[in-house]
Amino acid sequence: MRKMVALLLLGFVVLYIAGCKKGPEKAKETMSGNKTLQAEAKAEAKQGFKWQVDQFADIRILRYQVPGFEELSPRQKELIYYLSEAALWGRDIIFDQNYKHNLKIRKTLDAIVEGYQGDRTTPEWEKFMVYTKRVWFSNGIHHHYSTDKIMPEFSPEYFESLIKGCAGVKFPLEPGQSLEQFIAFLKPIIFAPKVDTKKVCQDPSFDLVANSAVNFYEGVTQKEVEEYYARLIDKNDPTPISYGLNSRVVKKDGQVMEEVCRIDGKYGPAIEQIVYWLEKAATVAENDLQRQVIEKLVEYYRTGDLKKFDEYNILWVKDTESVVDFVNGFIEVYNDPLGMKASWEALVNFKNPEATKRVAVISANAQWFEDHSPIDPRFKREKATGVSAKVITAAMLGGDCYPSTPIGINLPNANWIRRMYGSKSVTLENITYAYDQSSLDSPFGPEFTYNEEILERIKKYGSLAGNVHTDLHECLGHGSGKLLPGVKSEDLKNYHSPIEEARADLFALYFIMDPKMVELGVLPNEEAAKAEYDVQIRNGLMTQLVRIEPGKNIEQAHMRARALVSHWVYEKGKPDNVISKVTKDGKTYFVIHDYQKLRQLYGELLREIQRITSEGDYESAKALVETYGVKVDQELHKEVLERYRKLNLAPYAGFINPELEPVLENGKIVDVKISYPEDYVKQMLKYGKEYSIL
Ligand code: ZN
């Protein structure tokens, strides 16, 4: 919901933000090929830092720096160290949540990479390594973004020979299972295209639960799950818990029931480790409030009680003074086709005081934005409260935030807590910086931008405008407006996420062109806002299609939101020629002719989407998303893919974590050293060995 994932930079950057996560739309385009590698080498020389360390399939692996870490106090570093351990211990949880056989598969792949005694120089081995790297990247065998099953390019027979070529290696066999039986069990799971094809099914003509491979449900139908929660949920409760957030629904002895994640329940051993490190963190908290935050989280992990989770969130929102902050838990619901169950994620960070000033200005004017929003006054908040925004430096990524990372987060997700206590919104600037640095001089911009003038404007202002868009989306957009009494965000069901992301995006797009932005000193001039419109239209109508396979529809919530917004304004602006489709040298471009009219159209759509949200109008949400946000123009798609293919780029990126090493004196931590490893495979194997417990 609040995960803002992928964004944009110089237009060739497609980032992903989580928490609005963050969602995680989290990828930017990559560079490769001689020309771009040279460009990259140049960028590295400038920075003296190797940003990109690996590239395979549609993914590139980057590193991020943690500037300012050295200047933190020893106690703050110690706090970050403990929170980071707590972040890394949830890795098994996200693998298991994504698919019930993921842990077994990951352990098998790890064991082969470590122990295979045969030839590691063949093309087959290379294909095996690409598959393994992709599984690591996606925290499972389904693509992190499309949620389609990743199909290996090597044969089942080769896979069998790998396992048999690992003499003395221990594989995760069940008690009494022979190696032959183990291999026979894994083969269809990994190789059969029809077995568990999709992690998250979003086609409403199917049973969404039964057709999703995600491990939030076992042996139950969508109808059974919906009936189960309908009985549980008190519709008149003004402060409802987030029903079903931290559990798995199963059928036992014919009864539908929940397995709750807690220290003595589902994922107990991993949660025990997380609690252990959180308790250490509590001893070095920066202040009393932060200590209470951590202790409340521990209480929640011990009991699984979602009331405690709400109490924790309320405390967490109040803590705006601490330098160090973190997210750790079952947070975002993107991976649940019913939008209830949360994936485990973690992020450890600290404040970037300089960059925070920019968002502070925006936040301080929250009421002005609410008052001037083009939405129906009935849906406006009388008091835009508690929008606390800051720019942070990420120090450790875990769970669903690793390696694919959000660039912005806005939490908590519970609507009533946001309304009564506000929310915290953050921008991960060291992550966007790494994206930018690694994408300098990419051929992407020139290929898809109509002319030099627009390209130059994007180069000049795109990065700043993109950050400001993110700030508006995160700090104000998600928190703006209100629901009518009795309406719940779940009323929009599977259309909730794209509608909510479109709403936040439209809020940002409408206001970024407002003279207020220049007046506040957030943007230097209107040209910067134009650059953002250029990028958004280019992306929503055309370039985001590079992430879709031929013949497929758009599925990811943020992409649906961007397609919806862009196609709607394109269609509605046709009579006035606001945006035109132009062909030059056989290539398609979209050109904006009237930026002010485009702004009005964004305002109109914002008004309608706010109405849909506030009234819980499922049918209208469905019509908007299905008409503008899902379908792909096959001919244009083909052209875009062809042009993109020639650039030899990879559309997604993720990150290697830094390594934190405590310096001990007489058994006490006196300092923490940070280093930036370069080897993706090594980090994955290390995590597989040191943080595996389920
Ligand atoms: Zn968002």
Side-chain angles (χ1 to χ4, degrees):
M1 227 157 287
R2 323 291 169 189
K3 192 161 182 167
M4 177 161 182
V5 184
L7 264 237
L8 36 100
L9 266 208
L10 302 184
F12 48 83
V13 180
V14 182
L15 294 188
Y16 136 100
I17 305 192
C20 138
K21 186 178 216 153
K22 118 213 86 354
E25 180 175 7
K26 316 172 180 186
K28 240 171 163 177
E29 271 115 85
T30 188
M31 338 202 291
S32 72
N34 282 339
K35 225 164 116 192
T36 46
L37 284 178
Q38 280 166 17
E40 186 168 87
K42 230 172 24 188
E44 278 160 19
K46 226 187 283 170
Q47 290 300 318
F49 187 79
K50 188 173 174 186
W51 297 97
Q52 181 168 334
V53 294
D54 204 349
Q55 180 167 343
F56 50 88
D58 54 357
I59 288 160
R60 59 196 181 117
I61 300 294
L62 311 176
R63 301 192 297 167
Y64 61 97
Q65 292 178 323
V66 189
F69 184 81
E70 314 291 347
E71 286 75 51
L72 296 172
S73 72
R75 188 181 162 106
Q76 286 169 330
K77 290 189 208 173
E78 188 178 357
L79 174 59
I80 288 177
Y81 172 70
Y82 293 143
L83 292 171
S84 294
E85 288 296 306
L88 295 174
W89 270 106
R91 184 165 179 257
D92 276 2
I93 298 177
I94 187 65
F95 268 85
D96 191 73
Q97 284 187 309
N98 279 340
Y99 180 47
K100 62 184 169 186
H101 301 306
N102 272 341
L103 282 172
K104 191 166 278 187
I105 294 168
R106 190 196 75 203
K107 286 174 188 174
T108 304
L109 298 176
D110 283 11
I112 294 171
V113 175
E114 301 243 52
Y116 180 58
Q117 288 129 20
D119 190 352
R120 292 180 178 230
T121 61
T122 65
E124 286 308 284
W125 175 262
E126 181 58 32
K127 286 173 188 168
F128 166 75
M129 281 309 296
V130 167
Y131 176 74
T132 301
K133 288 177 181 182
R134 295 180 75 184
V135 172
W136 286 334
F137 188 89
S138 294
N139 294 311
I141 64 164
H142 298 88
H143 193 277
H144 75 288
Y145 206 75
S146 73
T147 86
D148 291 330
K149 182 164 165 174
I150 301 167
M151 296 308 298
E153 292 184 4
F154 52 91
S155 68
E157 293 70 35
Y158 180 69
F159 180 64
E160 181 167 350
S161 78
L162 289 176
I163 291 183
K164 290 182 171 166
C166 295
V169 171
K170 227 175 128 233
F171 287 102
L173 274 60
E174 296 296 319
Q177 193 178 35
S178 72
L179 194 62
E180 291 297 334
Q181 287 166 333
F182 176 70
I183 294 168
F185 171 79
L186 285 183
K187 272 186 184 175
I189 294 170
I190 295 178
F191 293 94
K194 297 267 186 244
V195 175
D196 298 324
T197 310
K198 191 90 189 159
K199 185 169 85 180
V200 187
C201 170
Q202 299 199 76
D203 183 340
S205 57
F206 289 101
D207 181 319
L208 299 178
V209 166
N211 286 283
S212 296
V214 75
N215 192 22
F216 291 133
Y217 308 98
E218 181 67 29
V220 286
T221 64
Q222 180 176 354
K223 192 159 169 283
E224 285 170 329
V225 174
E226 286 174 347
E227 283 171 0
Y228 175 81
Y229 283 108
R231 279 198 300 275
L232 230 56
I233 294 174
D234 174 3
K235 287 219 170 198
N236 299 316
D237 185 352
T239 60
I241 55 166
S242 303
Y243 289 96
L245 189 76
N246 63 338
S247 67
R248 181 169 177 263
V249 175
V250 298
K251 204 186 266 180
K252 272 196 185 132
D253 307 323
Q255 285 291 104
V256 177
M257 55 170 289
E258 279 184 312
E259 294 173 346
V260 177
C261 303
R262 60 174 179 234
I263 205 160
D264 62 347
K266 188 78 186 158
Y267 303 135
I271 290 174
E272 198 178 339
Q273 292 296 325
I274 293 167
V275 163
Y276 172 83
W277 289 102
L278 287 176
E279 284 180 332
K280 280 189 169 297
T283 65
V284 290
E286 289 181 66
N287 51 58
D288 201 46
L289 178 56
Q290 188 179 52
R291 189 179 47 73
Q292 290 176 38
V293 170
I294 300 170
E295 286 172 354
K296 190 57 83 175
L297 180 60
V298 166
E299 217 181 315
Y300 159 61
Y301 271 135
R302 287 192 179 281
T303 59
D305 181 354
L306 286 167
K307 277 211 167 65
K308 305 268 178 232
F309 182 60
D310 287 342
E311 291 166 20
Y312 152 76
N313 276 314
I314 292 167
L315 289 169
W316 181 76
V317 165
K318 285 184 186 159
D319 178 17
T320 54
E321 293 304 312
S322 304
V323 172
V324 176
D325 204 354
F326 70 104
V327 175
N328 184 304
F330 302 95
I331 308 291
E332 300 291 347
V333 297
Y334 299 103
N335 283 324
D336 178 8
L338 300 185
M340 301 175 81
K341 311 216 161 283
S343 301
W344 193 92
E345 68 176 43
L347 163 71
V348 185
N349 65 79
F350 57 93
K351 213 180 271 185
N352 173 341
E354 258 321 296
T356 294
K357 286 179 193 157
R358 183 187 71 224
V359 289
V361 167
I362 291 177
S363 281
N365 287 277
Q367 192 63 52
W368 185 92
F369 287 100
E370 189 78 14
D371 292 345
H372 290 78
S373 172
I375 64 176
D376 188 320
R378 288 188 300 140
F379 310 136
K380 284 193 184 183
R381 296 171 138 207
E382 299 74 24
K383 202 162 176 287
T385 48
V387 185
S388 114
K390 59 184 177 180
V391 176
I392 58 166
T393 303
M396 193 60 68
L397 311 165
D400 206 25
C401 295
Y402 168 88
S404 179
T405 311
I407 57 171
I409 297 184
N410 183 321
L411 291 171
N413 282 333
N415 271 314
W416 66 268
I417 299 180
R418 300 170 71 82
R419 199 173 56 242
M420 291 168 65
Y421 301 93
S423 63
K424 271 203 262 190
S425 182
V426 300
T427 309
L428 288 70
E429 205 134 294
N430 63 325
I431 296 292
T432 53
Y433 184 74
Y435 277 127
D436 286 346
Q437 288 298 315
S438 68
S439 301
L440 286 179
D441 302 329
S442 163
F444 184 89
E447 176 61 39
F448 292 105
T449 309
Y450 180 60
N451 62 28
E452 203 52 38
E453 184 197 336
I454 300 171
L455 185 63
E456 280 311 306
R457 183 163 60 209
I458 292 172
K459 278 192 176 168
K460 193 164 174 191
Y461 299 113
S463 184
L464 171 66
N467 282 337
V468 171
H469 175 112
T470 303
D471 296 340
L472 287 166
H473 176 119
E474 296 291 339
C475 310
L476 301 179
H478 280 303
S480 67
K482 66 175 182 193
L483 305 181
L484 291 182
V487 175
K488 291 204 167 47
S489 57
E490 299 86 50
D491 292 348
L492 300 182
K493 294 184 195 169
N494 50 318
Y495 298 109
H496 163 70
S497 290
I499 287 288
E500 175 59 18
E501 291 312 323
R503 196 174 72 86
D505 260 356
L506 284 161
F507 188 96
L509 290 165
Y510 180 76
F511 280 115
I512 202 167
M513 190 59 87
D514 198 293
K516 186 79 175 175
M517 301 311 289
V518 179
E519 196 185 300
L520 291 174
V522 171
L523 289 181
N525 52 43
E526 197 187 82
E527 287 298 290
K530 285 184 179 174
E532 181 59 15
Y533 279 19
D534 294 331
V535 170
Q536 287 290 332
I537 290 299
R538 184 182 71 186
N539 186 48
L541 290 178
M542 191 163 64
T543 53
Q544 73 166 353
L545 293 176
V546 302
R547 299 164 153 216
I548 307 283
E549 283 176 41
K552 294 249 164 86
N553 285 332
I554 303 173
E555 304 209 31
Q556 201 275 343
H558 293 81
M559 287 181 73
R560 283 186 165 187
R562 279 180 231 123
L564 189 175
V565 168
S566 301
H567 283 277
W568 193 91
V569 293
Y570 174 61
E571 290 299 328
K572 301 291 170 187
K574 269 184 178 168
D576 295 325
N577 197 29
V578 176
I579 301 164
S580 68
K581 185 176 175 180
V582 181
T583 309
K584 192 171 74 174
D585 304 330
K587 292 175 177 179
T588 305
Y589 302 88
F590 289 91
V591 187
I592 302 169
H593 300 289
D594 192 333
Y595 288 85
Q596 288 306 326
K597 279 227 173 81
L598 179 53
R599 181 182 182 220
Q600 282 171 23
L601 289 170
Y602 283 140
E604 266 176 51
L605 184 56
L606 174 57
R607 189 179 168 90
E608 170 62 2
I609 283 192
Q610 182 63 53
R611 182 198 66 73
I612 289 170
T613 304
S614 294
E615 296 178 353
D617 182 351
Y618 173 81
E619 287 305 325
S620 298
K622 180 178 177 181
L624 262 188
V625 174
E626 294 291 345
T627 308
Y628 297 102
V630 175
K631 284 173 235 136
V632 176
D633 176 338
Q634 296 299 324
E635 208 171 307
L636 178 65
H637 191 197
K638 216 177 126 204
E639 178 198 320
V640 169
L641 287 177
E642 184 58 26
R643 286 161 69 183
Y644 184 73
R645 194 184 55 75
K646 287 186 185 152
L647 304 178
N648 196 22
L649 305 174
Y652 303 100
F655 291 88
I656 294 188
N657 272 322
E659 233 160 74
L660 301 180
E661 196 195 330
V663 180
L664 297 169
E665 252 171 44
N666 304 322
K668 250 193 87 46
I669 295 180
V670 293
D671 194 11
V672 177
K673 294 277 170 229
I674 191 164
S675 59
Y676 303 101
E678 289 187 24
D679 194 324
Y680 174 66
V681 174
K682 248 193 206 158
Q683 180 155 86
M684 287 299 174
L685 292 176
K686 180 181 152 81
Y687 285 178
K689 264 212 253 340
E690 295 179 6
Y691 299 97
S692 184
I693 198 156
L694 294 179

